[in-house]
Coordinates of all heavy atoms in Angstrom, one line a residue:
A49 N 8.0 23.3 1.9 CA 8.9 22.2 2.4 C 9.8 21.9 1.3 O 9.4 21.5 0.2 CB 8.0 21.0 2.7
L50 N 11.1 21.9 1.5 CA 12.2 21.6 0.6 C 12.3 20.1 0.8 O 11.8 19.4 1.6 CB 13.4 22.4 0.9 CG 13.3 23.9 1.0 CD1 14.8 24.5 1.3 CD2 12.8 24.4 -0.4
V51 N 13.2 19.6 -0.2 CA 13.7 18.2 -0.2 C 14.3 18.1 1.1 O 15.2 18.8 1.6 CB 14.7 17.9 -1.3 CG1 15.3 16.5 -1.1 CG2 14.2 18.1 -2.6
A89 N 18.2 14.0 -9.3 CA 16.8 13.8 -9.7 C 15.9 14.3 -8.7 O 14.7 14.3 -8.9 CB 16.6 12.2 -10.0
L90 N 16.4 14.5 -7.5 CA 15.6 14.8 -6.3 C 14.8 16.2 -6.5 O 15.3 17.3 -7.0 CB 16.4 15.1 -5.1 CG 16.8 13.7 -4.5 CD1 18.1 14.0 -3.5 CD2 15.8 13.0 -3.7
I91 N 13.6 16.1 -6.1 CA 12.6 17.4 -6.1 C 11.9 17.3 -4.7 O 11.7 16.2 -4.3 CB 11.8 17.6 -7.3 CG1 10.8 16.4 -7.4 CG2 12.4 17.9 -8.4 CD1 9.9 16.6 -8.5
G92 N 11.4 18.4 -4.3 CA 10.5 18.3 -3.1 C 9.1 18.4 -3.4 O 8.6 18.3 -4.4
H93 N 8.3 18.4 -2.2 CA 7.0 18.5 -2.1 C 6.4 19.6 -3.1 O 6.9 20.7 -2.9 CB 6.5 18.7 -0.7 CG 4.9 18.8 -0.5 ND1 4.1 17.8 -0.9 CD2 4.3 19.7 0.2 CE1 2.9 18.1 -0.5 NE2 3.0 19.2 0.1
R94 N 5.4 19.4 -3.8 CA 4.7 20.2 -4.8 C 5.6 20.6 -6.0 O 5.1 21.4 -6.9 CB 4.3 21.6 -4.0 CG 3.2 21.2 -2.9 CD 2.4 22.5 -2.6 NE 1.5 22.1 -1.5 CZ 1.7 22.5 -0.3 NH1 2.7 23.2 0.2 NH2 0.7 22.3 0.6
A95 N 6.8 20.2 -6.1 CA 7.6 20.6 -7.3 C 7.1 19.5 -8.5 O 6.5 18.5 -8.2 CB 9.1 20.3 -7.1
A96 N 7.3 20.1 -9.7 CA 6.7 19.3 -10.8 C 7.6 18.2 -11.3 O 8.9 18.2 -11.4 CB 6.5 20.3 -12.0
I97 N 7.1 17.0 -11.6 CA 7.7 16.0 -12.3 C 7.7 16.2 -13.8 O 6.5 16.5 -14.3 CB 7.1 14.6 -12.0 CG1 7.1 14.1 -10.6 CG2 7.6 13.5 -12.9 CD1 6.3 13.1 -10.1
V98 N 8.7 16.4 -14.6 CA 8.9 16.8 -15.9 C 9.1 15.5 -16.8 O 10.1 14.8 -16.6 CB 9.9 17.9 -16.1 CG1 10.0 18.2 -17.6 CG2 9.6 19.0 -15.1
L99 N 8.1 15.3 -17.6 CA 8.4 14.2 -18.6 C 9.2 14.5 -19.6 O 9.0 15.5 -20.4 CB 7.0 13.7 -19.1 CG 5.8 13.5 -18.1 CD1 4.5 13.1 -18.8 CD2 6.4 12.5 -17.2
Y108 N 5.1 6.0 -12.4 CA 5.2 6.3 -11.1 C 5.5 5.0 -10.2 O 5.1 3.9 -10.7 CB 3.9 6.9 -10.5 CG 2.6 6.1 -10.6 CD1 2.3 5.0 -9.7 CD2 1.9 6.1 -11.8 CE1 1.3 4.3 -9.9 CE2 0.8 5.4 -12.0 CZ 0.4 4.4 -11.1 OH -0.6 3.6 -11.2
E109 N 6.3 5.1 -9.1 CA 6.5 4.0 -8.2 C 6.6 4.6 -6.9 O 7.6 5.2 -6.4 CB 7.9 3.3 -8.5 CG 7.9 2.6 -9.9 CD 9.0 1.7 -10.0 OE1 9.9 1.6 -8.9 OE2 9.3 1.2 -11.2
G110 N 5.5 4.6 -6.0 CA 5.5 5.2 -4.8 C 6.2 4.2 -3.8 O 6.1 2.9 -3.8
G137 N 8.4 9.9 2.5 CA 7.6 9.6 1.3 C 8.5 9.8 0.0 O 9.4 10.7 0.0
A138 N 8.4 8.8 -1.0 CA 9.2 8.9 -2.1 C 8.6 8.5 -3.3 O 7.6 7.5 -3.2 CB 10.6 8.2 -2.1
C139 N 8.9 9.0 -4.6 CA 8.4 8.4 -5.8 C 9.6 8.1 -6.7 O 10.2 9.1 -7.1 CB 7.3 9.3 -6.5 SG 6.5 8.5 -7.8
D140 N 9.7 6.8 -7.0 CA 10.8 6.5 -7.9 C 10.4 6.4 -9.3 O 10.1 5.4 -9.9 CB 11.3 5.1 -7.5 CG 12.4 4.5 -8.3 OD1 13.1 5.2 -9.0 OD2 12.6 3.1 -8.5
V141 N 10.2 7.7 -9.9 CA 9.7 7.8 -11.3 C 10.6 7.1 -12.1 O 11.9 7.3 -12.0 CB 9.7 9.4 -11.6 CG1 9.0 9.5 -13.0 CG2 8.8 10.0 -10.5
T161 N 14.1 15.5 -11.9 CA 12.8 15.6 -11.4 C 12.3 14.1 -11.1 O 11.1 14.0 -10.6 CB 11.8 16.3 -12.2 OG1 11.2 15.6 -13.3 CG2 12.3 17.7 -12.5
F162 N 13.0 13.0 -11.3 CA 12.6 11.6 -11.1 C 12.7 11.1 -9.8 O 12.5 9.9 -9.6 CB 13.3 10.8 -12.2 CG 12.6 10.9 -13.6 CD1 11.8 11.8 -13.9 CD2 12.7 9.6 -14.4 CE1 11.1 11.7 -15.3 CE2 12.2 9.5 -15.5 CZ 11.4 10.7 -16.0
C163 N 12.8 12.0 -8.7 CA 12.9 11.5 -7.4 C 12.2 12.4 -6.5 O 12.9 13.1 -5.6 CB 14.3 11.1 -6.9 SG 14.3 10.1 -5.4
P164 N 10.8 12.6 -6.5 CA 10.3 13.5 -5.4 C 10.4 12.9 -4.1 O 10.3 11.6 -4.0 CB 8.7 13.4 -5.9 CG 8.8 13.1 -7.4 CD 10.0 12.2 -7.6
L165 N 10.6 13.7 -3.1 CA 10.8 13.2 -1.7 C 10.2 14.2 -0.8 O 10.2 15.4 -0.8 CB 12.4 13.3 -1.5 CG 12.9 12.4 -0.3 CD1 12.7 10.9 -0.6 CD2 14.3 12.7 -0.1
G166 N 9.6 13.5 0.4 CA 9.1 14.4 1.4 C 7.6 14.1 1.7 O 7.3 13.0 1.5
P167 N 6.9 15.1 2.3 CA 7.3 16.4 2.6 C 8.1 16.4 3.9 O 8.7 17.5 4.2 CB 5.9 17.0 2.8 CG 5.0 16.0 3.3 CD 5.4 14.7 2.7
T182 N -0.2 5.0 -3.1 CA 0.0 6.0 -4.1 C -1.2 6.4 -4.8 O -2.1 5.5 -5.2 CB 0.9 5.5 -5.3 OG1 2.2 5.0 -4.6 CG2 1.2 6.4 -6.3
R183 N -1.5 7.7 -5.0 CA -2.9 8.0 -5.7 C -2.4 8.9 -6.9 O -1.6 9.7 -6.9 CB -3.8 8.8 -4.7 CG -4.1 8.2 -3.6 CD -5.0 9.0 -2.7 NE -5.2 8.4 -1.4 CZ -4.5 8.6 -0.3 NH1 -3.4 9.5 -0.3 NH2 -4.7 8.0 0.9
I184 N -3.2 8.7 -8.0 CA -3.1 9.4 -9.3 C -4.4 10.2 -9.5 O -5.4 9.4 -9.6 CB -2.6 8.6 -10.5 CG1 -1.4 7.8 -10.3 CG2 -2.5 9.6 -11.7 CD1 -0.1 8.6 -9.9
N185 N -4.3 11.5 -9.4 CA -5.6 12.3 -9.5 C -6.7 11.8 -8.6 O -7.8 11.9 -8.8 CB -6.1 12.3 -11.0 CG -5.1 12.5 -11.9 OD1 -4.3 13.6 -11.7 ND2 -5.0 12.0 -13.2
G186 N -6.2 11.7 -7.4 CA -7.1 11.2 -6.2 C -7.5 9.8 -6.1 O -8.2 9.3 -5.3
L231 N 2.4 8.0 -16.5 CA 2.0 9.4 -16.1 C 1.9 10.2 -17.3 O 2.4 9.9 -18.3 CB 3.3 10.0 -15.3 CG 3.5 9.5 -13.9 CD1 4.7 10.1 -13.2 CD2 2.3 9.8 -13.0
E232 N 0.9 11.2 -17.3 CA 0.6 12.0 -18.4 C 0.7 13.5 -17.9 O 0.3 13.8 -16.6 CB -0.7 11.8 -18.9 CG -0.9 10.5 -19.4 CD -0.1 10.0 -20.6 OE1 0.3 10.9 -21.3 OE2 0.1 8.8 -21.0
P233 N 0.9 14.4 -18.7 CA 0.8 16.0 -18.3 C -0.5 16.2 -17.7 O -1.4 15.7 -18.1 CB 1.2 16.5 -19.7 CG 1.9 15.6 -20.4 CD 1.4 14.3 -20.1
G234 N -0.3 16.9 -16.6 CA -1.5 17.3 -16.0 C -2.0 16.4 -14.8 O -2.9 16.7 -14.0
D235 N -1.4 15.2 -14.6 CA -1.7 14.3 -13.6 C -1.1 15.0 -12.3 O -0.2 15.8 -12.2 CB -0.8 13.1 -13.7 CG -1.7 12.0 -14.7 OD1 -2.8 12.4 -15.0 OD2 -1.0 11.1 -15.2
L236 N -1.7 14.5 -11.1 CA -1.1 14.8 -9.8 C -1.0 13.5 -9.1 O -1.7 12.6 -8.8 CB -2.3 15.6 -9.0 CG -1.8 16.0 -7.7 CD1 -0.8 17.0 -7.6 CD2 -2.9 16.5 -6.8
V237 N 0.3 13.4 -8.7 CA 0.9 12.2 -8.0 C 0.9 12.5 -6.5 O 1.5 13.5 -6.2 CB 2.2 11.7 -8.5 CG1 2.7 10.4 -7.7 CG2 2.3 11.6 -10.0
E238 N 0.3 11.6 -5.7 CA 0.4 11.6 -4.3 C 0.8 10.3 -3.7 O 0.4 9.3 -4.0 CB -1.1 12.0 -3.7 CG -1.5 13.3 -4.1 CD -3.0 13.7 -3.6 OE1 -3.9 12.7 -3.9 OE2 -3.1 14.6 -2.9
V239 N 2.0 10.5 -3.0 CA 2.4 9.3 -2.2 C 2.3 9.5 -0.6 O 2.9 10.6 -0.1 CB 3.9 9.1 -2.6 CG1 4.5 7.8 -1.7 CG2 4.1 8.8 -4.1
E240 N 1.6 8.7 0.0 CA 1.4 8.8 1.5 C 2.0 7.6 2.2 O 1.8 6.4 1.9 CB -0.1 8.8 1.7 CG -0.4 9.1 3.3 CD -1.9 9.3 3.5 OE1 -2.7 9.2 2.6 OE2 -2.3 9.6 4.7
V246 N 1.5 13.4 3.1 CA 1.3 13.3 1.7 C 2.3 14.1 1.0 O 2.3 15.3 1.0 CB -0.2 13.6 1.3 CG1 -0.3 13.4 -0.3 CG2 -1.2 12.7 2.1
L247 N 3.0 13.3 0.1 CA 3.9 13.9 -0.9 C 3.1 14.2 -2.2 O 2.6 13.2 -2.7 CB 5.1 13.1 -1.2 CG 6.1 13.4 -2.3 CD1 6.9 14.7 -2.0 CD2 7.1 12.2 -2.4
S248 N 3.1 15.4 -2.6 CA 2.3 15.8 -3.7 C 3.0 16.4 -4.9 O 3.7 17.4 -4.6 CB 1.0 16.6 -3.3 OG 0.4 17.0 -4.4
N249 N 2.9 15.9 -6.1 CA 3.7 16.4 -7.3 C 2.9 16.4 -8.5 O 2.4 15.4 -8.9 CB 5.0 15.8 -7.4 CG 6.0 15.7 -6.3 OD1 5.9 14.9 -5.4 ND2 6.7 16.7 -6.3
P250 N 2.8 17.6 -9.1 CA 2.2 17.6 -10.4 C 3.1 17.2 -11.6 O 4.2 17.1 -11.4 CB 1.8 19.0 -10.6 CG 3.0 19.8 -9.9 CD 3.1 19.0 -8.7
V251 N 2.5 16.8 -12.6 CA 3.2 16.3 -13.8 C 3.1 17.3 -14.9 O 1.9 17.7 -15.2 CB 2.7 14.8 -14.1 CG1 3.5 14.4 -15.3 CG2 2.8 13.9 -13.0
E252 N 4.3 17.5 -15.5 CA 4.3 18.5 -16.7 C 5.0 17.9 -17.8 O 6.1 17.0 -17.7 CB 5.0 19.8 -16.3 CG 4.3 20.5 -15.2 CD 4.9 21.9 -14.8 OE1 6.1 22.0 -15.3 OE2 4.5 22.6 -14.0

Side-chain angles (χ1 to χ4, degrees):
L50 303 179
V51 179
L90 286 164
I91 56 172
H93 180 53
R94 297 196 179 106
I97 299 167
V98 179
L99 306 181
Y108 57 85
E109 296 187 9
C139 191
D140 177 22
V141 183
T161 76
F162 271 26
C163 194
L165 195 70
T182 307
R183 303 180 187 90
I184 305 297
N185 303 323
L231 291 173
E232 301 292 341
D235 283 345
L236 180 67
V237 183
E238 294 177 308
V239 178
E240 183 172 5
V246 179
L247 170 67
S248 180
N249 299 93
V251 180
E252 300 177 355

